[in-house]
């Protein structure tokens, strides 16, 4: 339903280095970008849930990160401009009642405790048609979000970081780049970051560092080979 991509531009090469399925930078959009963002949200909802009028936004639990909260507020604004009634339901157990949080820009954001009634979730006086998750679920799927009926949940729970792996993402992207390069007659390397997958490394315990160093050296050797091929001296 939504995504953001981190891109690195070296001048001689342009490649995405990370893809976020629960983007947290909506506060970085300029004022000029808000109308087209609302239009894009409206079109996306028409494809997925044309009858949706009420949307529940489920954010991360960190309520002290002012910039993240501004991101949530901006997302609420965009979805509101798309014609939806949008309220925010928090998974944070510390949010036991409607709580207004101060934002760095001087505004406020109201979080309300998430409630489950049968196979639906909502707020005390709010029964949403759709739920938009802005929580990457890295700690796993909260039971309150499972087995919902009659409500559209975006993105799907299996998009969370508890089951996804960046190495798998880059493997899939690598295959796309190979097909793309063949189609256009270009070297896929020009749009694809080189990557490798290292084995068991534990930074806390300091184990696996030798294997990490070996993997890094091997990858840099491949990069140097490509730089030489294209005459890149930077």
């Amino acid at each position: 339903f939504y995504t953001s991509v981190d891109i690195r531009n070296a001048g001689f090469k342009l490649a995405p280095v990370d893809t976020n399925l629960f983007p947290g930078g909506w506060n970085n959009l300029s004022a000029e970008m808000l109308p087209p963002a609302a239009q894009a949200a409206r079109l996306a909802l028409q494809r997925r849930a044309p009858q949706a009028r009420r949307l529940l936004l489920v954010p991360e639990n960190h309520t002290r990160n002012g910039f993240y909260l501004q991101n949530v507020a901006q997302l609420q604004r965009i979805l509101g401009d798309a014609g939806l009634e949008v309220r925010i339901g928090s998974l944070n157990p510390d949010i036991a009642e409607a709580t207004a949080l101060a934002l760095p820009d001087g505004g406020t954001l109201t979080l309300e405790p998430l409630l489950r009634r049968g196979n639906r979730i909502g707020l005390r006086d709010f029964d949403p048609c759709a739920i938009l998750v802005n929580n990457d679920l890295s700690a796993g799927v909260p039971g309150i979000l499972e087995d919902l009926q009659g409500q559209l949940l975006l993105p799907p729970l299996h998009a969370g970081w508890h089951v996804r792996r960046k190495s798998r993402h880059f493997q899939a992207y690598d295959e796309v780049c190979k097909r793309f390069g063949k189609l256009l007659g270009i070297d896929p390397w020009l749009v694809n970051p080189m990557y490798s997958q290292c084995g068991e490394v534990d930074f806390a315990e300091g184990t696996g560092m030798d294997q990490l160093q070996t993997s890094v050296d091997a990858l840099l050797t491949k990069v140097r080979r490509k730089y030489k091929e294209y005459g890149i001296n930077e």
Side-chain angles (χ1 to χ4, degrees):
F1 176 76
Y2 59 4
T3 187
S4 68
V5 181
D6 297 338
I7 295 175
R8 297 293 178 269
N9 184 356
F12 52 83
K13 175 174 178 169
L14 182 79
V17 295
D18 193 18
T19 301
N20 309 294
L21 298 186
F22 304 87
W26 295 98
N27 52 308
N28 295 319
L29 291 184
S30 65
E32 292 79 11
M33 282 299 299
L34 298 185
Q39 182 182 19
R42 191 179 303 115
L43 291 172
L45 283 163
Q46 285 174 357
R47 289 195 300 268
R48 301 295 301 277
Q51 305 303 319
R53 296 293 178 268
R54 297 178 304 279
L55 183 140
L56 182 69
L57 183 56
V58 180
E60 299 278 1
N61 285 350
H62 36 248
T63 56
R64 296 184 181 180
N65 186 331
F67 293 109
Y68 174 74
L69 295 177
Q70 278 192 181
N71 152 75
V72 175
Q74 185 84 299
L75 183 54
Q76 184 180 32
R77 185 179 302 116
I78 291 169
L79 294 166
D81 290 345
L84 293 166
E85 180 184 358
V86 184
R87 288 168 65 176
I88 302 169
S90 177
L91 293 163
N92 191 333
D94 295 334
I95 304 294
E97 58 184 2
T99 304
L101 302 175
L103 301 177
D105 63 0
T108 60
L109 183 71
T110 300
L111 304 184
E112 301 177 69
L114 202 58
L115 301 174
R116 174 117 182 186
R117 300 182 186 88
N119 290 320
R120 297 177 71 86
I121 61 171
L123 307 177
R124 185 174 59 83
D125 57 348
F126 186 70
D127 183 36
C129 316
I131 297 99
L132 182 62
V133 180
N134 197 245
N135 182 312
D136 65 19
L137 305 177
S138 56
V141 176
I144 196 171
L145 297 180
E146 294 183 312
D147 301 319
L148 300 180
Q149 294 182 7
Q151 291 177 308
L152 177 67
L153 183 68
L154 299 167
L157 296 178
H158 64 261
W161 272 125
H162 61 293
V163 291
R164 285 165 56 220
R165 291 289 179 270
K166 242 169 216 184
S167 55
R168 180 71 186 93
H169 170 79
F170 279 121
Q171 182 183 353
Y173 181 71
D174 186 59
E175 292 299 320
V176 170
C177 285
K178 287 176 181 176
R179 295 200 300 268
F180 181 76
K182 186 176 181 180
L183 186 69
L184 270 66
I186 66 169
D187 185 346
W189 178 78
L190 295 171
V191 292
N192 191 11
M194 282 187 172
Y195 78 98
S196 67
Q197 184 176 0
C198 196
E200 294 298 323
V201 177
D202 190 324
F203 289 105
E205 298 294 331
T207 58
M209 295 299 112
D210 290 344
Q211 185 176 354
L212 176 61
Q213 182 176 342
T214 300
S215 296
V216 170
D217 288 344
L219 190 62
L220 287 176
T221 297
K222 293 180 181 179
V223 172
R224 289 189 189 99
R225 194 177 299 132
K226 275 293 183 182
Y227 275 37
K228 185 177 181 180
E229 177 184 341
Y230 284 97
I232 299 166
N233 298 315
E234 300 175 48

